[in-house]
Amino acid sequence: MPVLYHHPMSSASRFVRLILAEYGFQVELMEERPWEKRKEFLSLNPAGTLPVYVDNSMRTLSGAGVISEFMDETHGALKRDRRLLAEDPFQRAEIRRLMEWFLHKLESDVTRPLVRERVYKLQMRPDEGGGAPDSKVLRTSRANIRQHMKYLTWLAGSRPWLAGSRISYADLAAASAVSILDYMGEIDWAEAPVAKEWYQRLKSRPSFRPLLTERVRGLTPVSHYADLDF
Amino acid sequence: MPVLYHHPMSSASRFVRLILAEYGFQVELMEERPWEKRKEFLSLNPAGTLPVYVDNSMRTLSGAGVISEFMDETHGALKRDRRLLAEDPFQRAEIRRLMEWFLHKLESDVTRPLVRERVYKLQMRPDEGGGAPDSKVLRTSRANIRQHMKYLTWLAGSRPWLAGSRISYADLAAASAVSILDYMGEIDWAEAPVAKEWYQRLKSRPSFRPLLTERVRGLTPVSHYADLDF
C-alpha cells in the first residue's frame, strides 16, 4: 500500500489526504515531525517538507503541489464531473491561484506560525526550539486571520464553491487550513456566517471524517470541532 | 500585447520571462515594486506577489506556478521535444519538485532575504522598511548558499539537465535564481565548476540575453555577470 508521510497539523498534508479520500485511495499514514529532520525522511525529500507520498514501487512524490498535480494527471482527468481540477485552463489557473493562497499565503501569514507556537513547540525539545509560545507571534498571526476570513467570506459568497461552480482543489486546500485553525479554536464563526455555511458543506463530506476524529497530543480541540452542525 | 508585471530581481519573474522567451511570446514588461503594495496591482493579484500576466482580454494569471502550468497547457503541450514540461507524470513531478525547490526553498533560504537586504532596502523609504542591510540576515543567507550550490552541483553532475535528459522548467527556475545571486556577486564559481558548466549552457540561450543586459538602480552587477564565458 502507498505510504503518506504527514502531520495532523500540516495543511498541505490534510489537503492531500482529502484528495486521496475523495478519489477513493487507501494509503498508510506515517506521522512525521518535520522539525526533527530525520535522515531517512530527508533522503525521501531533501526539502524536508510534508506531505511525501511513496507509491508501491517506492517512487516518491514530495509536496502538496506536486502530489495534487500528479493525482489529477493520473486519476482526476478520468473523473469527469467528480474531477477536482477544471478542464478549462483559466479555471485551472484560478483553482491553482487559490491553492497557493491557502497553502502558501494563509500558511505563512497564519497557520504555520500558530501551529508552531501552539502545537509543535509543546512537542519539541528545548534544543529544537521547544518551549512557551511567543505572544508577539500569536498576536500578529491572529490579527492576520481576520483579513483571511474576509477573503474566504467573499469567495464563498460570490460563487457556489470557492473557485467556481464545482468543488475543487481550492475548497480542499482552504478547508484543510481552516480545519486546523478551527481545531485550535482560532476562528470566530459568529463573525463569518457565509464562510461557516461553506465549511459545513465541506465538513459533512465522508472524506473529512478522519480529520475530525484525529487528536494531537497536548491540545484538545475546541468543543464544536467535530460537530457537523456547529 | 499581453503585459507581465515583474521585478528584475524576482526569481519567479525571471522564470516566467524565460518561459515566454523560449516559447517565442512577446509581452510588455511593467516593473512593479511589490513592497509598495499599489492598490491597482493588488486588485490584479490580492496576494501581492510577482509575476502577474495579463492577457489581451484582460484575464489575469498570478504567480509563477500558475503561469507556467497555464503556458504548458495552452502552448507547451504542442511543442513536442521543445516542451519545457515532460510527458510522463513522474518526470513532470520531478520537474515540479525542482521548481518548488528553486522558487520556494532557495528563495526563502537565500534569494529573497539577500535581494531584500541588498536591493529593495536601497529603494524603499524608511517607513517601508528601507535602510542599511542587516548583517545577520546577510550572514545567514550566505551560509545557506553553499548548501544550495552543493545540491545544484549534484543535480547538474548526475543528469544532462537538472530534471533529466531535456531542458525543462527546472533549469529555467534554477537559472533564474542563480542569475540574481550571480548579479549580486554572491556565487563563488571556482568552488562549483559543474554547476558553472550547466549555467554557461543556460546563459548562452537567446532567451537569457535580456536578463543579462538589465541593470537595477543602485547596484552594479559583478564584472563577469553578462559574460557567456566567465
Side-chain angles (χ1 to χ4, degrees):
Chain A
M1 194 185 293
V3 174
L4 188 76
Y5 292 82
H6 81 116
H7 191 281
M9 292 285 113
S10 139
S11 311
S13 301
R14 287 191 167 212
F15 170 61
V16 167
R17 289 170 69 188
L18 287 173
I19 296 172
L20 295 170
E22 289 283 338
Y23 285 158
F25 277 89
Q26 299 275 343
V27 287
E28 188 185 339
L29 290 174
M30 296 278 274
E31 188 173 323
E32 183 68 33
R33 298 163 157 211
W35 64 86
E36 290 181 348
K37 300 183 198 292
R38 280 197 314 125
K39 269 204 174 159
E40 296 78 4
F41 179 63
L42 292 179
S43 76
L44 292 175
N45 177 17
T49 49
L50 287 173
V52 173
Y53 180 90
V54 183
D55 81 356
N56 289 326
S57 313
M58 296 301 288
R59 286 179 295 201
T60 302
L61 301 171
S62 298
V66 167
I67 300 171
S68 61
E69 295 289 346
F70 181 88
M71 287 296 158
D72 182 65
E73 290 164 3
T74 55
H75 297 92
L78 314 165
K79 297 281 179 186
R80 295 169 169 272
D81 62 343
R82 288 187 52 241
R83 185 177 188 180
L84 295 163
L85 255 180
E87 281 73 38
D88 173 71
F90 279 101
Q91 282 175 34
R92 294 163 70 83
E94 176 63 356
I95 293 169
R96 289 187 181 115
R97 180 182 76 83
L98 293 173
M99 285 164 60
E100 284 267 327
W101 184 280
F102 293 105
L103 299 178
H104 286 287
K105 186 165 170 57
L106 176 62
E107 181 77 8
S108 72
D109 291 350
V110 179
T111 324
R112 188 189 306 127
L114 279 181
V115 165
R116 187 180 161 87
E117 296 302 324
R118 297 199 51 203
V119 184
Y120 288 0
K121 280 171 91 172
L122 290 173
Q123 301 180 16
M124 285 169 160
R125 293 190 315 260
D127 63 301
E128 290 170 330
D134 180 328
S135 57
K136 203 182 141 200
V137 176
L138 294 182
R139 217 164 31 241
T140 314
S141 313
R142 283 172 177 158
N144 289 335
I145 291 183
R146 195 171 286 238
Q147 289 309 313
H148 276 283
M149 289 305 289
K150 272 192 197 162
Y151 192 54
L152 182 60
T153 294
W154 179 80
L155 291 168
S158 51
R159 304 160 170 178
W161 296 92
L162 297 190
S165 58
R166 224 164 67 187
I167 188 171
S168 77
Y169 281 171
D171 300 280
L172 303 187
S176 300
V178 165
S179 68
I180 289 172
L181 296 173
D182 191 41
Y183 183 106
M184 299 191 289
E186 296 284 358
I187 296 180
D188 182 354
W189 288 111
E191 268 198 357
V194 178
K196 182 177 172 176
E197 187 278 323
W198 161 84
Y199 184 52
Q200 269 170 332
R201 273 185 283 149
L202 263 295
K203 238 177 139 170
S204 308
R205 296 178 80 85
S207 62
F208 228 85
R209 221 168 288 149
L211 304 185
L212 298 177
T213 55
E214 210 169 45
R215 297 294 174 264
V216 291
R217 189 150 56 94
L219 190 71
T220 311
V222 75
S223 59
H224 65 249
Y225 175 64
D227 290 356
L228 299 185
D229 194 23
F230 56 108
Chain B
M1 197 184 289
V3 175
L4 188 76
Y5 292 83
H6 81 116
H7 190 280
M9 291 285 114
S10 139
S11 312
S13 300
R14 289 192 168 213
F15 170 61
V16 167
R17 288 170 68 188
L18 289 173
I19 296 172
L20 295 170
E22 288 284 338
Y23 285 158
F25 277 90
Q26 300 275 342
V27 286
E28 188 186 337
L29 290 174
M30 296 277 273
E31 187 174 324
E32 183 68 33
R33 302 165 155 210
W35 64 86
E36 291 181 347
K37 300 185 198 295
R38 278 198 313 123
K39 267 202 175 161
E40 295 77 7
F41 180 63
L42 292 179
S43 75
L44 292 175
N45 177 17
T49 49
L50 288 172
V52 172
Y53 179 91
V54 183
D55 80 358
N56 288 328
S57 313
M58 297 298 289
R59 285 178 297 198
T60 304
L61 301 171
S62 300
V66 167
I67 300 171
S68 61
E69 295 288 347
F70 180 88
M71 288 297 157
D72 182 65
E73 291 165 2
T74 54
H75 297 92
L78 316 164
K79 298 281 178 188
R80 295 169 169 274
D81 63 343
R82 290 189 49 240
R83 185 178 187 178
L84 296 163
L85 254 179
E87 280 74 38
D88 174 71
F90 279 102
Q91 282 175 32
R92 294 164 70 83
E94 177 64 356
I95 292 170
R96 290 188 181 113
R97 179 182 78 82
L98 293 174
M99 284 164 60
E100 285 267 327
W101 184 280
F102 293 105
L103 298 179
H104 285 287
K105 187 167 170 56
L106 176 62
E107 179 76 9
S108 72
D109 292 350
V110 179
T111 325
R112 188 189 305 128
L114 279 182
V115 165
R116 188 182 160 85
E117 296 303 322
R118 296 199 52 202
V119 185
Y120 288 1
K121 280 170 90 172
L122 289 175
Q123 300 180 18
M124 285 169 160
R125 293 192 314 261
D127 63 301
E128 291 170 329
D134 179 329
S135 58
K136 205 182 139 199
V137 175
L138 294 181
R139 217 164 30 241
T140 314
S141 314
R142 283 170 178 159
N144 290 335
I145 291 182
R146 194 170 286 238
Q147 288 310 311
H148 275 283
M149 289 306 289
K150 272 193 194 161
Y151 191 55
L152 183 60
T153 294
W154 179 80
L155 290 169
S158 51
R159 304 160 170 176
W161 296 92
L162 297 190
S165 58
R166 222 165 67 189
I167 188 172
S168 76
Y169 281 171
D171 299 279
L172 303 187
S176 300
V178 164
S179 67
I180 289 173
L181 297 173
D182 191 41
Y183 184 105
M184 298 190 291
E186 295 286 356
I187 296 181
D188 181 355
W189 290 112
E191 268 199 356
V194 179
K196 181 178 172 176
E197 188 277 323
W198 161 84
Y199 184 52
Q200 268 170 333
R201 273 186 283 148
L202 263 295
K203 238 177 139 170
S204 309
R205 297 177 78 86
S207 62
F208 229 85
R209 219 167 291 148
L211 304 184
L212 298 177
T213 53
E214 209 168 47
R215 298 293 175 263
V216 292
R217 188 148 57 94
L219 191 69
T220 311
V222 75
S223 60
H224 66 247
Y225 175 63
D227 289 357
L228 298 184
D229 195 22
F230 57 108

